[in-house]
Amino acid sequence: MKHMLAAAAIATSLAGSAWAEGETHHVAIHVNQDDPWVMTMALNNAQNLANYYESQGDSVVIEMVTYGPGLTMLIPGKSPVEDRISSMSLEMENLSFAACGNTHRAMSAKAGHEIELMDEARIVPSGVVRLVELQEQGYAYVRP
């Protein structure tokens, strides 16, 4: 009897904490085009996801993965969405930006100097590999 009461108390405690805390969703957003419309759409997707899940009592972790021409999104002075990335990063703690290391090296070699990236960007070895890793970890995949 004592064990059943203890089990019931633990189950009630766990159920209560599950209701108190919402679900956490994980989303990878893919940007591989140097197109202001695509970049804006990707950021809109991130903002809309965060707004929706927050309204449901849930949270969302979003990683925006850029490679190829899409890396321009994270280059200061060239990104058409630079200011928006900066403000969204301050507002959304679960939003991150991954920059493809392969693309970054190629762009830097072509330019003859290291291409600077925005402070919000984190270089990953390969953008494509990062997308695969995230999907293998259960992230939903979105491509605007």
Side-chain angles (χ1 to χ4, degrees):
M1 181 70 166
K2 196 191 292 189
H3 295 304
M4 288 193 310
L5 289 175
I10 291 170
T12 302
S13 173
L14 290 175
S17 68
W19 282 42
E21 297 177 21
E23 187 177 344
T24 299
H25 305 271
H26 295 83
V27 181
I29 300 178
H30 172 185
V31 177
N32 69 343
Q33 298 176 53
D34 183 4
D35 180 338
W37 184 87
V38 170
M39 295 174 191
T40 298
M41 182 64 69
L43 293 172
N44 289 349
N45 290 165
Q47 188 67 63
N48 290 340
L49 283 163
N51 291 345
Y52 174 79
Y53 285 124
E54 184 178 295
S55 77
Q56 301 300 305
D58 289 352
S59 62
V60 63
V61 175
I62 302 168
E63 185 166 328
M64 200 155 303
V65 181
T66 64
Y67 67 81
L71 189 68
T72 302
M73 182 178 192
L74 301 176
I75 299 175
K78 290 190 175 187
S79 172
V81 292
E82 181 177 356
D83 291 340
R84 188 161 178 215
I85 289 172
S86 296
S87 64
M88 285 179 71
S89 292
L90 293 173
E91 296 166 8
M92 299 170 60
E93 67 182 41
N94 291 335
L95 173 63
S96 62
F97 296 87
C100 175
N102 290 332
T103 301
H104 183 255
R105 275 189 304 284
M107 282 184 165
S108 295
K110 184 175 181 181
H113 62 86
E114 180 89 4
I115 298 290
E116 180 186 351
L117 295 176
M118 296 176 64
D119 291 340
E120 293 82 2
R122 174 180 60 91
I123 295 179
V124 296
S126 165
V128 173
V129 170
R130 184 64 184 150
L131 284 169
V132 170
E133 290 171 348
L134 291 171
Q135 289 177 77
E136 288 175 345
Q137 293 170 24
Y139 277 63
Y141 170 82
V142 174
R143 182 168 182 225

